[in-house]
C-alpha cells in the first residue's frame, strides 16, 4: 500500500513529439486553470507536471517551454473557477495580467490571481538555450482562505517576494515538498496543506494595507512555523535562546513564550531537543567517526561537554559515548558482513 503523498505525474516525453502539445492541453483542461495556450514549440512540446494533493490545496510543479496563455469568460464557464491561484516562478520570467494590473515575476517571486476572472499569462525562458521555464502553482478554493474576497482584489496579478520573510518561508516549504514528495506520508497531507494555507494567508495579509484581515490564530500558527524554521537554521549558534529569537521576529520574549503554549513544548526545550537530535544523528554517522564528541556537540551549540552529556543521557537514557559505540559497532558489523558476502561471489 502506497503511504506517500497523493501525486500524479504527466510527462510528455513518453509520447511522440507530434502528440505532446495536444496531450498537455488535455491535461490542462482538467484543472481549474483551463486556458488557450500559444507556443513556438507546439511541434515538440517537452513538458512535465507533477500534481500533489494537500488537503483542500492542490500544488503543481510545472516545467515547459516558453508559452503564452489567455483565460476568457467562455473558458471560465467551462471550468471550476471558484478558486485562487498562487504561482511561484522558479526559472524564466512570468507575467500575469488581470483587472488592469500586471505583475512581472522573475525567479523567486509569487503572483496571485482569481480563476473566476479573465487573465493573461506568459512564461518565457530568459535565453534560447537556457533551461525550460518552470513554476510552482497552488490552486486554493475560496473558502480555504480566511480572507474576504473583496479585500484580496488589490493583490490580483501583483508581485510578491518569495525570497524574504513569510514569502521566503512559503517558497522554501513548497519547493521542499515538491522536490521530495516521497519523504512525506499520505496521512500528513491535510496537516501539510494546513501549514501551507496558514503561510499563504499570512503572506497575502502582509501584502495588504493592513494585516487585520488575517485571523489572529492564522497569524499565530504562521509565526510558529517561522520560529521553528529560524531555530533549525541557527542551531549551531551557541547564543541562540528565546531572547535572540524574539528579537529576530520583532516580538517580546513573553509573547514568544505565549506563542508556544499550545505547542506542547517550550522554546528552550524545542531548541535543546533539536540540537540533541542533530548530535545523535552525527554520533551514529560512520563518516564522522574521526570527530570527537566534543566537536560534534559544539557544532550544534553545546559549548559545555558535561552539560551536553547530562542532557543527552536524560533524553536518550545512555551516554553519548555508549550511544556512539553501539551504533558504530553495528555499522562495522554490517559493512564486514557485506564485504564477506561480496568476496564469496563468483562472476
Amino acid at each position: 500500500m502506497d503511504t506517500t503523498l497523493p501525486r500524479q505525474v504527466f510527462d510528455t516525453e513518453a509520447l511522440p513529439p507530434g502528440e505532446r502539445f495536444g496531450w498537455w492541453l488535455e491535461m490542462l483542461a482538467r484543472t481549474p486553470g483551463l486556458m488557450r495556450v500559444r507556443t513556438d514549440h507546439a511541434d515538440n512540446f517537452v513538458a512535465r507536471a507533477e500534481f500533489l494533493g494537500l488537503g483542500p490545496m492542490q500544488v503543481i510543479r510545472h516545467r515547459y517551454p516558453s508559452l503564452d496563455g489567455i483565460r476568457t469568460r467562455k473558458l471560465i464557464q467551462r471550468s471550476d473557477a471558484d478558486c485562487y491561484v498562487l504561482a511561484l516562478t522558479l526559472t524564466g520570467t512570468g507575467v500575469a495580467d488581470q483587472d488592469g494590473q500586471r505583475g512581472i515575476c522573475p525567479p523567486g517571486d509569487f503572483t496571485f490571481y482569481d480563476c473566476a476572472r479573465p487573465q493573461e499569462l506568459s512564461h518565457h525562458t530568459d535565453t534560447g538555450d537556457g533551461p525550460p521555464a518552470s513554476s510552482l502553482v497552488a490552486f486554493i478554493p475560496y473558502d480555504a482562505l480566511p480572507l474576504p474576497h473583496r479585500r484580496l482584489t488589490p493583490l490580483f496579478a501583483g508581485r510578491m517576494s518569495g525570497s524574504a520573510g513569510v514569502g521566503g518561508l512559503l517558497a522554501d516549504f513548497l519547493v521542499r515538498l515538491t522536490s521530495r514528495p516521497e519523504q512525506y506520508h499520505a496521512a500528513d497531507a491535510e496537516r501539510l496543506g494546513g501549514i501551507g494555507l496558514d503561510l499563504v494567508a499570512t503572506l497575502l495579509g502582509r501584502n495588504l494595507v493592513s494585516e487585520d484581515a488575517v485571523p489572529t490564530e492564522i497569524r499565530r500558527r504562521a509565526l510558529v512555523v517561522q520560529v521553528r524554521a529560524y531555530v533549525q537554521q541557527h542551531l549551531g549558534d551557541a547564543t541562540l535562546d528565546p531572547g535572540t529569537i524574539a528579537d529576530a521576529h520583532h516580538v517580546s520574549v513573553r509573547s514568544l513564550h505565549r506563542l508556544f503554549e499550545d505547542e506542547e513544548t517550550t522554546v528552550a526545550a524545542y531548541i535543546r531537543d533539536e540540537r540533541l537530535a542533530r548530535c545523535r544523528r552525527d554520533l551514529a554517522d560512520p563518516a564522522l567517526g574521526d570527530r570527537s564528541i566534543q566537536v560534534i556537540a559544539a557544532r550544534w551549540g553545546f559549548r559545555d561537554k558535561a552539560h551536553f552529556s547530562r542532557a543527552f543521557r536524560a533524553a536518550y537514557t545512555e551516554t553519548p559515548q555508549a550511544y556512539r559505540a553501539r551504533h558504530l559497532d553495528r555499522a562495522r558489523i554490517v559493512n564486514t558482513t557485506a564485504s564477506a558476502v561480496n568476496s564469496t561471489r563468483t562472476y
Side-chain angles (χ1 to χ4, degrees):
M1 180 179 177
D2 188 5
T3 60
T4 59
L5 288 178
R7 58 175 171 158
Q8 191 172 14
V9 178
F10 293 84
D11 194 332
T12 66
E13 287 195 277
L15 299 170
E19 299 178 17
R20 291 173 177 172
F21 187 53
W23 189 63
W24 182 266
L25 293 180
E26 289 180 11
M27 179 274 295
L28 194 64
R30 295 195 290 271
T31 74
L34 174 62
M35 298 191 122
R36 189 165 66 243
V37 178
R38 302 184 302 275
T39 180
D40 292 334
H41 306 274
D43 57 340
N44 185 19
F45 196 78
V46 179
R48 177 185 171 89
E50 183 164 357
F51 292 71
L52 281 182
L54 298 175
M57 181 169 65
Q58 183 181 60
V59 179
I60 311 172
R61 187 165 184 142
H62 284 293
R63 186 183 71 230
Y64 39 64
S66 295
L67 53 78
D68 300 281
I70 184 170
R71 184 167 167 83
T72 64
R73 295 194 181 281
K74 286 186 177 180
L75 292 177
I76 291 170
Q77 292 171 359
R78 290 170 49 191
S79 62
D80 182 5
D82 293 336
C83 65
Y84 302 111
V85 172
L86 183 74
L88 172 67
T89 303
L90 298 177
T91 59
T93 300
V95 180
D97 290 89
Q98 188 169 71
D99 288 351
Q101 301 182 89
R102 164 172 281 208
I104 300 176
C105 298
D109 278 355
F110 286 102
T111 191
F112 178 72
Y113 52 91
D114 183 0
C115 273
R117 305 180 186 214
Q119 72 252 15
E120 294 185 28
L121 304 172
S122 69
H123 196 169
H124 288 242
T125 57
D126 295 327
T127 58
D129 56 352
S134 59
S135 64
L136 278 171
V137 175
F139 289 104
I140 304 169
Y142 288 160
D143 59 6
L145 287 180
L147 299 162
H149 186 80
R150 58 181 177 77
R151 292 291 305 277
L152 294 174
T153 302
L155 300 181
F156 294 154
R159 172 183 170 184
M160 296 176 285
S161 173
S163 59
V166 176
L169 187 59
L170 175 59
D172 290 345
F173 175 79
L174 295 174
V175 168
R176 186 179 182 90
L177 272 180
T178 57
S179 297
R180 295 286 185 271
E182 70 281 357
Q183 295 182 352
Y184 304 92
H185 295 282
D188 297 328
E190 288 281 345
R191 175 62 175 156
L192 291 169
I195 293 171
L197 289 171
D198 286 347
L199 292 174
V200 171
T202 305
L203 173 65
L204 298 177
R206 292 277 169 89
N207 282 272
L208 292 171
V209 175
S210 169
E211 292 184 46
D212 293 341
V214 182
T216 302
E217 178 58 18
I218 299 296
R219 295 201 302 270
R220 188 198 72 81
R221 293 200 301 257
L223 184 55
V224 169
V225 174
Q226 284 183 271
V227 168
R228 288 180 179 271
Y230 182 87
V231 169
Q232 294 289 336
Q233 293 166 5
H234 295 84
L235 284 174
D237 182 355
T239 66
L240 180 71
D241 62 15
T244 59
I245 296 170
D247 288 344
H249 293 84
H250 309 293
V251 298
S252 68
V253 174
R254 183 178 179 182
S255 295
L256 180 65
H257 286 309
R258 282 204 305 267
L259 188 69
F260 271 70
E261 286 178 355
D262 294 332
E263 298 303 307
E264 299 182 355
T265 187
T266 64
V267 182
Y270 178 68
I271 296 171
R272 181 199 63 226
D273 292 347
E274 291 300 307
R275 282 175 167 163
L276 287 171
R278 298 294 180 91
C279 291
R280 183 172 65 162
R281 181 196 66 188
D282 287 359
L283 290 172
D285 187 348
L288 301 178
D290 59 341
R291 296 190 186 181
S292 70
I293 292 175
Q294 189 169 0
V295 167
I296 289 175
R299 178 189 181 190
W300 297 114
F302 289 103
R303 287 178 172 172
D304 185 273
K305 183 179 179 180
H307 170 67
F308 167 66
S309 294
R310 288 194 299 271
F312 191 95
R313 185 165 188 170
Y316 304 121
T317 68
E318 62 183 328
T319 65
Q321 295 86 346
Y323 178 86
R324 182 180 224 184
R326 181 165 57 85
H327 281 77
L328 294 187
D329 284 346
R330 182 183 301 168
R332 280 192 289 270
I333 292 171
V334 171
N335 290 335
T336 300
T337 303
S339 298
V341 170
N342 288 334
S343 68
T344 61
R345 288 178 177 172
T346 57
Y347 298 91

